[in-house]
Every structure is written in structure tokens, then in C-alpha cells.
Amino acid sequence: MKQVVQNYKSGELAVLDVPVPGCKPGGVLVRSAYSLISTGTELMKVSEAGMSMLGKARSRPDQVAKVMQSVATNGVPATYRKVMGKLDSYTPLGYSLCGVVERVGTGIDEVKVGDLVACAGNEHALHAELNWVPKNLYARVPDGLAPRHAAFGTVGSIALQGVRRGEPQLGDVALVIGLGLIGQLVVQLLAASGVRVVGADPDPVRCGLAERLGAAACGDPASAAVETAVAELTGGHGVDQVYLAAGGGSNQPVELAARLCRDRGRVVDIGKCRLDLPWNAYYEKELDVRFSRSYGPGRYDPEYELEGRDYPIGYVRWTERRNLACFLDLLARGRVDVEPLVSHVADFDDAVETYQRLKDGELKAVAVLFRYPEHAGEAEAPVVAVPAVRRRGGTAPAPARSAKTPVRLAFVGAGNYATSMLLPHLAQRDGVALSTVVTTTALSAANAQRKFGFAEATTDLDTVLGDPSIDAVFVVTRHSSHAELTRRALLAGKAVFVEKPLALTEDELAGVLAAVEESGNDRLQVGFNRRFAPLLHEARKRFGARSGPASLRYLVNAGRLQHGSWYLRQGTEGSRFAGEGGHFIDTASWLLAADPVSVYAVATSGNEDGSDIQAVLRYPDGSTATISYVTTGAPGFPKETLDLVADGKVLRLDDFVRASVYARKRWVSSRLPKARDKGQSAELAAFVRAVRTGGPMPVPLESLAATTAATLAVQAGLAGGAPVTLARAR
């Protein structure tokens, strides 16, 4: 079998062929599926191995002391041979993995061959294809938990033991210093325990990640941001606990802990940082300094770890193994999310290159996983890319037009939606000239010209795109043509209003944004009209600002389609949700003032015109939006109902007819005197105004791209049966 090893004398890393370990009594033989690189502990060891002998001595004064004692006892020659022999040997790497039980040793009856287990220990959960793991250093993986997530079990146990040592209580405020892998897990565990968390790390990317995963605020420890956040959350008293999850030789973490901890607070050391405690600061506050020893009680006890002698639960509630099982349970129940921490997954055969890239700083990562050969073909967690919006040399504002000069519009497509929901709002609008209508059939173009007064009607798109007098093009065709027509119009230098969806595939979306970059023309609007609805605008204003995460529920009673509808042509036109879903995702994102970071979707089956869909979107601040898109509801029930809950307030929207806000004062709208206003008129007015003035488009292009990607992610999630990460290009 293969195993990752390192020569501590030379610093050499290698993947060696070594004998398969035997399956001894009291343990199991586990074939690795995924193992986790500890980007803190392991990289420190790898870096030390690359140092000179003097550098190694300086980094490990504890080992130097042992060498000097050996010299005094055994003499220089014997000690030298002993030290050089130890240094010039291969040592293993790794201590956290997930794998499948291949053989069961005698005395083991709680797992069987084929079970998935998470394993711990720097002698038993190594980066190797097979490991023998004693009884108290593995735990069965709960059903439904992905092996790549279960591989975090050991580092999760380290974080969990650190949190236990801090003894947090509901309502506490805690400071986590160091937002690497362990720090990110500590943040989530504290947040799940009802603790408000402030994070401190000089890396703004890690700070942003921690805030998305539950921290109330994060910042550079050298700035005033952390101190300000602590003061605001604690009323100036200081935090209840400080968790030191930082490494390195700086004494800044312990000094910051003393400054921001409350009187008689607790400081828990989880990482390996410098601990020159400023005596006065710690004495005056009578701070309780605690150490967290690795995975929990049992660590370093050979009778527990090797002989399998458990501690009675009445005396030791949380042992190594119980911590491991507890963390796996938290993962399985969704209380902790490790997927956002996965920066890279490497094939096991590429281990040496991966370590080198990490050491050189080429690969910047919070967590890196090795995937073993048997799982190389295993489906990765689905990811949908959110392409970066790049504007060639920065996009100059469109030239403003005289208020007396009409905005000349061309329509590509004149079907039911265009003629019933868009053109009636434009035909009589001052300052608008309907120049040309383009359709695939001559008669439909002639009908649109007659009804709405277009100056010209044609079936030739190139004529419109090449006409310099036309300011903006409306793309209101079938879904499959939207992306290509939009791309062509952007390249022709036109402002574009495209009905949803903007694109049906990731490649189509990337093509549209590539046209923006190539042409320098970002004058694009997608027909997401609900965010412009006057009633929803008023309700949002009455709801006011929020400080905490929100829960949003959006029920769409879509109803069944008539037999023969082109919406049913999923092979060419995409699913119903692909066509309509962007409306509801855009509305949720507008209300939550952010773009989603992940999507989880499930569907029922057996519906003639498409499955009922439940899509759960997660946002950076911890907010969630659940969109229930159903086709099997009663036709007499309202089509769209929405509830937004946050900060002790509730916003309710009933089908764009009535809205209410429940807060300290209740507000209820009056019933609209006419038909529902879903925002088309205001949306078109905003688009025409942007074209006339040269001002920004009504919705940022980045938001349009994010909403489209999230809509595509729903389809990817339905196909893959797993949460889909929305990966933003940098």
C-alpha cells in the first residue's frame, strides 16, 4: 500500500510503498476514503523539516533539552548516533480521516466490514491507503453524512474539546483569535451553542468566511474593529471567553485576550501560540487560563487509546471517542458546515505536490483533502460557478440623451408576455419610440406593429442590430434563445432588456458575460420585476433594517400548464423552474440584500408538467430563503405568498394584493383598487430612465449573474441530490 512520509532530517516528502498493517485485536483495518491535511499542525511540521539543524533546534527547544540530558547521561557520540538515526528516518503525516472498515479484529462487535467510520490519531489515522485503528479512536459515520465531511472528525473534536473547556453558556460573547481551520470550527460550534462570536485574524478572506459561518463580527486584531465589536456586543464589559486558535511566535494573541476579556473571564489555549502572559493584566482581572488537550480525555493515555479501556461516562462525560461521535452527529444534523472550509481536494497520488504548493504559498487553503483511488470517481459535491463580471478597461457611462429625444426601442419577439405585460406600459410612455419589432413570422410582426404602433416590422434581426438609431433591444423570445440574442445585442453596443431567464446553462451565462468583457458594454437588465412592485417596496420600507439573520419563505402556487405548452419542452426550453425561478430568487436576494452562497433542492415526482420543488438558499450572513414552487395546488389559492422573519419582526405579502408588517407597531396595507401590480411598469420606467440618462442599470450585473447561477444550481441540486455551492470566480 501507499503512505505519505517525511524525512525530518532532509525535509524530503514521499509517497512510499509500505507493507499493509495487520488487523490486531481490539481494532479495525480501515481503507481510507478521504484524509484531511491539518494546514496548521502538519504544515508546521513540514516547514520545520526544511530548516537547518540550527533552525530545527530553535523551533523545538523542548527536544534540545532532551538531547542535552541524553548527552549528560550517555555521552556525545551515543547521543549523536541516536539523534541522527531518529532524524534520518521516515515519519508519517496525518491524523484525521474517513474510510471503510475492511477487516474487524477480535473483541470488536459494534462495527462490521463495510461500515463507514471516522478515525483519529497521529499514529492510526495517517495519510495512507490502509490504517489499523484501535477501538477508542474511531466512530461510526451517521447515515447520510458524506465521507469527505466525516474526514473532518478529528479536527472537529479538537475544536469541540476547546469549546468544552471554555464552558460557554447561552447568551455569552466569545472571542476567537485565529481563524484557520480550528478557529473556523470553533466559531461554528460556539454559534450553534447560542454564543455570539467575534473573530480576529489578519486575513480578510478568513474573516469573511467566519462571518458567513456564524460570527457576529470579525476583523484584523491590529485594527480597532475587533475591540469596537466586543464593546458593542458586551456593553463594554469584555467577552466571557477567549479561544486562542492561533499559531506562531507572536505574543499578540495573549495580550489581546487580556485586553478584551471581562473580569474573571476564561482564556482557552487550543492552538500552539506564544504564551508569555502579561502578569499584571491577567492578575488584575483574575483571568482563568485553561489548556485544551487535543481531542479530549483519553488522549495520550495508552490504556485508553491502545488497550480500549473506556472511562465510565458517569465520571468522564466527553472522552476522545465521544467527542468524535458528537462532532459527526453535529455535521449530520447540519449544525456545523465544513463544506465552505474545503479549499482543495487532491488525489492521494499528488500528495507530495500538494504539500509543496501549500508550503510555498501557491495553494492558499483552510482545509485540503486527499481523495483515495477507490473514491477518485466519486461525485464531488456539486458546484455551480458564478462567473466574475469583468469590464474591459472599466466601462464608461453611456452617453446621456436629451430629455426631448425619445429612447428608441426594438423588440425581438412579440408573444403573449410581450404584448400583455410589457408593450402596454411602453406604447403610451412619453419619451419612448417603438422603432422596430422583429419576429420569426411576418404576420406576428405585422400584428404587433398594428397594435402598438411600431415604426417598422421585420424578420431580420441583423437589420436591428446594425441600426445605430436604436438605443435598446428587448429580448422576449423563447427561453432557449435568450442568451445568444442577448450576447449578440451586447456586442452590437445596444442596451438590452431580456426577459427571464438570462441563460439555461453555465456556458450560456459565461458567454453573456464574455460579451460584456469583450465589448465593454454592461448595459443589461433581466426582467426580474417583483423587486420593483410598489406594495413590496412599501412593506420593505416599513420592515426597516435588520441586524440578525432572517428566514424567508416564498410559496409559489404555480399551477398546472395546459397540454401542449412550450414550457413543457424541457429538452430545449429548460424546466419550468429554470424559466420562472429567477423571479423568486431575485426577490429573496433583494429582500435579504445579498446573493446566495449555496442551494439545496429536492423535488417530488410524478407531476405531468414538472416536479414540485423545495429550494433552500443560504446567504452569507446565515439567512435562509425557502422557495416552494408547486404545481399541484388548488387553482383558487393565491399564486404567491411570502413571509420574512427577523429581529422579532415579520413581513407578510399576499399575492401583491395585500401586505403587512408585524413589529412594535403593526402596519397593514389597504387593498389595491385595481389589478395586482407586480412591478413591470416601475421596472420598465427604471430601465428607460437608465438608457436615457446613461446612469447605472436598475439591477447590478453582478446580482443578475448570481441570481441566474443560483437558478441553475437548483437544477444541479435536483440532479445530484446534494447541496450545491455557488463558487464565485475571483
Side-chain angles (χ1 to χ4, degrees), residues 9 30 49 129 168 221 237 257 313 374 391 583 589 591 594:
K9 178 181 178 182
V30 177
E129 291 180 312
H237 295 294
I313 195 169
E374 288 76 6
R391 299 165 173 86
H583 270 320
S589 297
L591 285 169

PDB file of all heavy atoms in Angstrom, residues 9 30 49 129 168 221 237 257 313 374 391 583 589 591 594:
ATOM      1  N   LYS A   9      15.132  14.926   8.737  1.00  0.00           N
ATOM      2  CA  LYS A   9      16.486  15.452   8.593  1.00  0.00           C
ATOM      3  C   LYS A   9      16.622  16.244   7.299  1.00  0.00           C
ATOM      4  O   LYS A   9      17.100  17.377   7.286  1.00  0.00           O
ATOM      5  CB  LYS A   9      17.500  14.312   8.618  1.00  0.00           C
ATOM      6  CG  LYS A   9      18.946  14.782   8.423  1.00  0.00           C
ATOM      7  CD  LYS A   9      19.916  13.599   8.425  1.00  0.00           C
ATOM      8  CE  LYS A   9      21.353  14.077   8.191  1.00  0.00           C
ATOM      9  NZ  LYS A   9      22.294  12.924   8.137  1.00  0.00           N
ATOM     10  N   VAL A  30      -8.949  -0.152   8.321  1.00  0.00           N
ATOM     11  CA  VAL A  30      -9.791   0.801   7.595  1.00  0.00           C
ATOM     12  C   VAL A  30      -9.116   1.205   6.292  1.00  0.00           C
ATOM     13  O   VAL A  30      -7.939   1.596   6.292  1.00  0.00           O
ATOM     14  CB  VAL A  30     -10.051   2.059   8.453  1.00  0.00           C
ATOM     15  CG1 VAL A  30     -10.864   3.086   7.662  1.00  0.00           C
ATOM     16  CG2 VAL A  30     -10.777   1.683   9.734  1.00  0.00           C
ATOM     17  N   ALA A  49      10.858  20.640   9.062  1.00  0.00           N
ATOM     18  CA  ALA A  49      11.750  19.655   8.450  1.00  0.00           C
ATOM     19  C   ALA A  49      12.642  20.277   7.393  1.00  0.00           C
ATOM     20  O   ALA A  49      13.741  19.780   7.123  1.00  0.00           O
ATOM     21  CB  ALA A  49      10.926  18.518   7.837  1.00  0.00           C
ATOM     22  N   GLU A 129      -3.252   4.386   2.548  1.00  0.00           N
ATOM     23  CA  GLU A 129      -4.406   3.701   1.963  1.00  0.00           C
ATOM     24  C   GLU A 129      -5.110   2.808   2.978  1.00  0.00           C
ATOM     25  O   GLU A 129      -6.334   2.653   2.924  1.00  0.00           O
ATOM     26  CB  GLU A 129      -3.959   2.887   0.748  1.00  0.00           C
ATOM     27  CG  GLU A 129      -3.525   3.765  -0.423  1.00  0.00           C
ATOM     28  CD  GLU A 129      -3.076   2.960  -1.621  1.00  0.00           C
ATOM     29  OE1 GLU A 129      -2.276   2.014  -1.447  1.00  0.00           O
ATOM     30  OE2 GLU A 129      -3.515   3.276  -2.746  1.00  0.00           O
ATOM     31  N   PRO A 168     -18.956  27.553  27.666  1.00  0.00           N
ATOM     32  CA  PRO A 168     -19.845  28.653  27.242  1.00  0.00           C
ATOM     33  C   PRO A 168     -21.271  28.414  27.696  1.00  0.00           C
ATOM     34  O   PRO A 168     -21.702  27.268  27.872  1.00  0.00           O
ATOM     35  CB  PRO A 168     -19.738  28.607  25.714  1.00  0.00           C
ATOM     36  CG  PRO A 168     -19.417  27.178  25.405  1.00  0.00           C
ATOM     37  CD  PRO A 168     -18.532  26.710  26.533  1.00  0.00           C
ATOM     38  N   PRO A 221      -6.797  41.786  14.163  1.00  0.00           N
ATOM     39  CA  PRO A 221      -6.534  42.079  15.581  1.00  0.00           C
ATOM     40  C   PRO A 221      -5.720  43.341  15.800  1.00  0.00           C
ATOM     41  O   PRO A 221      -5.751  43.912  16.888  1.00  0.00           O
ATOM     42  CB  PRO A 221      -5.770  40.833  16.064  1.00  0.00           C
ATOM     43  CG  PRO A 221      -5.248  40.183  14.823  1.00  0.00           C
ATOM     44  CD  PRO A 221      -6.233  40.494  13.747  1.00  0.00           C
ATOM     45  N   HIS A 237     -18.083  45.458  28.774  1.00  0.00           N
ATOM     46  CA  HIS A 237     -17.575  44.602  29.859  1.00  0.00           C
ATOM     47  C   HIS A 237     -16.459  43.667  29.413  1.00  0.00           C
ATOM     48  O   HIS A 237     -15.635  43.254  30.223  1.00  0.00           O
ATOM     49  CB  HIS A 237     -18.707  43.774  30.451  1.00  0.00           C
ATOM     50  CG  HIS A 237     -19.763  44.598  31.138  1.00  0.00           C
ATOM     51  ND1 HIS A 237     -19.508  45.321  32.280  1.00  0.00           N
ATOM     52  CD2 HIS A 237     -21.063  44.821  30.836  1.00  0.00           C
ATOM     53  CE1 HIS A 237     -20.608  45.955  32.661  1.00  0.00           C
ATOM     54  NE2 HIS A 237     -21.572  45.674  31.794  1.00  0.00           N
ATOM     55  N   ALA A 257      -6.134  38.911  24.307  1.00  0.00           N
ATOM     56  CA  ALA A 257      -7.083  38.189  25.165  1.00  0.00           C
ATOM     57  C   ALA A 257      -7.255  38.899  26.499  1.00  0.00           C
ATOM     58  O   ALA A 257      -8.376  39.069  26.992  1.00  0.00           O
ATOM     59  CB  ALA A 257      -6.599  36.755  25.382  1.00  0.00           C
ATOM     60  N   ILE A 313     -18.839   6.788  31.858  1.00  0.00           N
ATOM     61  CA  ILE A 313     -19.480   8.033  31.438  1.00  0.00           C
ATOM     62  C   ILE A 313     -19.927   8.877  32.627  1.00  0.00           C
ATOM     63  O   ILE A 313     -20.010  10.104  32.539  1.00  0.00           O
ATOM     64  CB  ILE A 313     -20.677   7.716  30.505  1.00  0.00           C
ATOM     65  CG1 ILE A 313     -21.133   8.987  29.766  1.00  0.00           C
ATOM     66  CG2 ILE A 313     -21.826   7.076  31.278  1.00  0.00           C
ATOM     67  CD1 ILE A 313     -22.114   8.725  28.653  1.00  0.00           C
ATOM     68  N   GLU A 374      -9.928   4.524  -4.639  1.00  0.00           N
ATOM     69  CA  GLU A 374     -11.246   3.900  -4.712  1.00  0.00           C
ATOM     70  C   GLU A 374     -12.361   4.922  -4.794  1.00  0.00           C
ATOM     71  O   GLU A 374     -13.480   4.618  -5.185  1.00  0.00           O
ATOM     72  CB  GLU A 374     -11.482   2.988  -3.500  1.00  0.00           C
ATOM     73  CG  GLU A 374     -10.661   1.707  -3.520  1.00  0.00           C
ATOM     74  CD  GLU A 374      -9.199   1.945  -3.155  1.00  0.00           C
ATOM     75  OE1 GLU A 374      -8.868   3.083  -2.770  1.00  0.00           O
ATOM     76  OE2 GLU A 374      -8.396   1.008  -3.274  1.00  0.00           O
ATOM     77  N   ARG A 391     -15.174  44.023 -16.868  1.00  0.00           N
ATOM     78  CA  ARG A 391     -15.447  45.056 -17.865  1.00  0.00           C
ATOM     79  C   ARG A 391     -14.132  45.530 -18.448  1.00  0.00           C
ATOM     80  O   ARG A 391     -13.245  45.951 -17.704  1.00  0.00           O
ATOM     81  CB  ARG A 391     -16.216  46.216 -17.222  1.00  0.00           C
ATOM     82  CG  ARG A 391     -17.566  45.781 -16.650  1.00  0.00           C
ATOM     83  CD  ARG A 391     -18.112  46.842 -15.715  1.00  0.00           C
ATOM     84  NE  ARG A 391     -19.469  46.563 -15.274  1.00  0.00           N
ATOM     85  CZ  ARG A 391     -19.771  45.799 -14.222  1.00  0.00           C
ATOM     86  NH1 ARG A 391     -18.801  45.230 -13.517  1.00  0.00           N
ATOM     87  NH2 ARG A 391     -21.031  45.605 -13.877  1.00  0.00           N
ATOM     88  N   HIS A 583     -37.237  34.771 -10.875  1.00  0.00           N
ATOM     89  CA  HIS A 583     -38.093  35.796 -10.266  1.00  0.00           C
ATOM     90  C   HIS A 583     -38.024  35.734  -8.749  1.00  0.00           C
ATOM     91  O   HIS A 583     -37.845  36.747  -8.059  1.00  0.00           O
ATOM     92  CB  HIS A 583     -39.549  35.557 -10.679  1.00  0.00           C
ATOM     93  CG  HIS A 583     -39.956  36.261 -11.929  1.00  0.00           C
ATOM     94  ND1 HIS A 583     -39.564  37.533 -12.248  1.00  0.00           N
ATOM     95  CD2 HIS A 583     -40.772  35.850 -12.930  1.00  0.00           C
ATOM     96  CE1 HIS A 583     -40.100  37.882 -13.398  1.00  0.00           C
ATOM     97  NE2 HIS A 583     -40.834  36.881 -13.841  1.00  0.00           N
ATOM     98  N   SER A 589     -33.275  37.606  -2.736  1.00  0.00           N
ATOM     99  CA  SER A 589     -31.956  38.237  -2.599  1.00  0.00           C
ATOM    100  C   SER A 589     -32.085  39.739  -2.394  1.00  0.00           C
ATOM    101  O   SER A 589     -31.312  40.346  -1.642  1.00  0.00           O
ATOM    102  CB  SER A 589     -31.113  37.932  -3.837  1.00  0.00           C
ATOM    103  OG  SER A 589     -30.886  36.538  -3.960  1.00  0.00           O
ATOM    104  N   LEU A 591     -34.643  41.287  -0.951  1.00  0.00           N
ATOM    105  CA  LEU A 591     -35.130  41.497   0.413  1.00  0.00           C
ATOM    106  C   LEU A 591     -34.025  41.265   1.444  1.00  0.00           C
ATOM    107  O   LEU A 591     -33.978  41.927   2.482  1.00  0.00           O
ATOM    108  CB  LEU A 591     -36.317  40.581   0.700  1.00  0.00           C
ATOM    109  CG  LEU A 591     -37.648  40.990   0.064  1.00  0.00           C
ATOM    110  CD1 LEU A 591     -38.670  39.865   0.198  1.00  0.00           C
ATOM    111  CD2 LEU A 591     -38.196  42.261   0.699  1.00  0.00           C
ATOM    112  N   ALA A 594     -28.413  40.515  -0.355  1.00  0.00           N
ATOM    113  CA  ALA A 594     -27.213  39.710  -0.574  1.00  0.00           C
ATOM    114  C   ALA A 594     -27.498  38.696  -1.666  1.00  0.00           C
ATOM    115  O   ALA A 594     -28.650  38.506  -2.077  1.00  0.00           O
ATOM    116  CB  ALA A 594     -26.781  39.006   0.710  1.00  0.00           C
TER     117      ALA A 594
END
